[in-house]
Structure formats: C-alpha cells, structure tokens
C-alpha cells in the first residue's frame, strides 16, 4: 500500500466514524418531553404523563420536560409525591446555558452549576436560584402558571 492510499483510507475511516457517532448521539435522548397545552397563561399537563412503560412493565417518571413557544428553554416538572410538583425553567442563572437533568439535580454543562429539583443553587458559579412557576393540580391535570 502506498502512502497516499494509506492517508486516504485513514481520512475516510475517520470521517465515517465521526459521522456514525453523531448519528447515534442524535438518536438517543433519554429525556421525555410531555405533551401539554397552553390555556390562559397556564400550561395544562396530564398527570398520566408521569407514567411510562418499560418493555411492558409499568413505571413512574420522576420528572418530565415541556417545550412551549412562550419560553426559549424547556420547563422541568418534578413529581415529589401526589399533588406536590415543582416547575423550573431550565436556564442557568449564571450565563444562561440550558440545564441538563441528572437524577434529582439540574446541571449546567457550560460551567458546572448545580440546582436541586426545587431550583435551589447547590454548586456555583451560579449564585441565584432558578426561575420557578406556581403549580396547582386537580384529579387529572397539573397547571403551571406563568
């Protein structure tokens, strides 16, 4: 094999592996975006959105995400117990990066700030709590007021 052929093959393999990596990464999003409606400055979300089925087995989600046009960032809705929910804007108060959920925390991928599922700062550089929304419920729905 000549040097030129070797370099060409290495370049094609490198480009192919990078492309495949991006394809697989874009296919995997473990976060669940729920369906919600907006009515009179309230987001209406079905409580049933917290139920999921994993391979035929019923399971409960601890949190869901909502994306609506009124906000640039998603809203993180966490269920503590029946009737107790928090709703937080997933915008870091440090420099405005979109937060990522990790278990019971929201983490900023830009500088490492951490927030609780109630929106309280746990780790700097952020020094302000997250924007929260008033949450009310009835038997079937969760209402997020904005």
């Amino acid at each position: 094999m000549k040097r030129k052929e070797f370099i060409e093959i290495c370049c094609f393999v490198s480009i192919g592996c990078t492309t495949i990596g991006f394809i697989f990464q874009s296919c995997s999003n473990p976060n669940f975006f729920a369906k919600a409606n907006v009515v009179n400055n309230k987001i209406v979300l079905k409580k049933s959105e917290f139920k999921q089925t994993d391979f035929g087995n019923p399971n409960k989600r601890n949190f869901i995400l909502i994306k609506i046009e009124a906000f640039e960032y998603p809203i993180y809705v966490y269920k503590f117990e029946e009737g107790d929910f928090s709703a937080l804007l997933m915008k870091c108060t440090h420099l405005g990066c979109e937060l990522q959920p990790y278990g019971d925390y929201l983490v900023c991928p830009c500088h490492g700030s951490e927030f609780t599922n109630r929106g309280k700062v746990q780790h700097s550089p952020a020094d302000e709590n997250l924007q929260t929304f008033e949450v009310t419920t009835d038997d079937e729905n969760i209402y997020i007021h904005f």
Side-chain angles (χ1 to χ4, degrees), residues 111-130:
H111 299 105
S113 295
E114 292 182 12
F115 302 87
T116 68
N117 49 21
R118 295 262 188 210
K120 305 289 183 203
V121 176
Q122 293 297 294
H123 190 271
S124 60
D127 58 1
E128 293 180 39
N129 295 333
L130 296 178

Side-chain angles (χ1 to χ4, degrees), residues 23-36:
I23 290 170
F24 285 135
Q25 183 178 4
S26 67
C27 291
S28 64
N29 185 356
N31 298 323
F32 177 73
F33 282 84
K35 296 177 184 173

Side-chain angles (χ1 to χ4, degrees), residues 33 77 81 105 111 135:
F33 282 84
V77 183
E81 56 189 48
Y105 288 88
H111 299 105
V135 178

Side-chain angles (χ1 to χ4, degrees), residues 40-55:
N40 298 329
N41 292 333
K42 286 188 277 190
I43 300 168
V44 181
L45 174 68
K46 296 279 186 198
K47 287 183 177 180
S48 61
E49 293 286 355
F50 281 90
K51 297 176 184 173
Q52 70 181 19
T53 303
D54 290 331
F55 305 106

Side-chain angles (χ1 to χ4, degrees), residues 51-69:
K51 297 176 184 173
Q52 70 181 19
T53 303
D54 290 331
F55 305 106
N57 299 320
N59 200 356
K60 295 181 182 177
R61 293 182 173 91
N62 292 331
F63 71 88
I64 55 175
L65 304 177
I66 303 168
K67 184 72 177 148
I68 62 168
E69 288 184 22

Side-chain angles (χ1 to χ4, degrees), residues 4 6 13 21-22 27 38-39 45 83 88 96 101 115 117 119 129 134 136 145:
K4 184 178 177 184
F6 177 77
V13 168
F22 282 122
C27 291
V38 177
V39 179
L45 174 68
L88 313 168
F115 302 87
N117 49 21
N129 295 333
E134 178 187 355
T136 57
H145 305 263

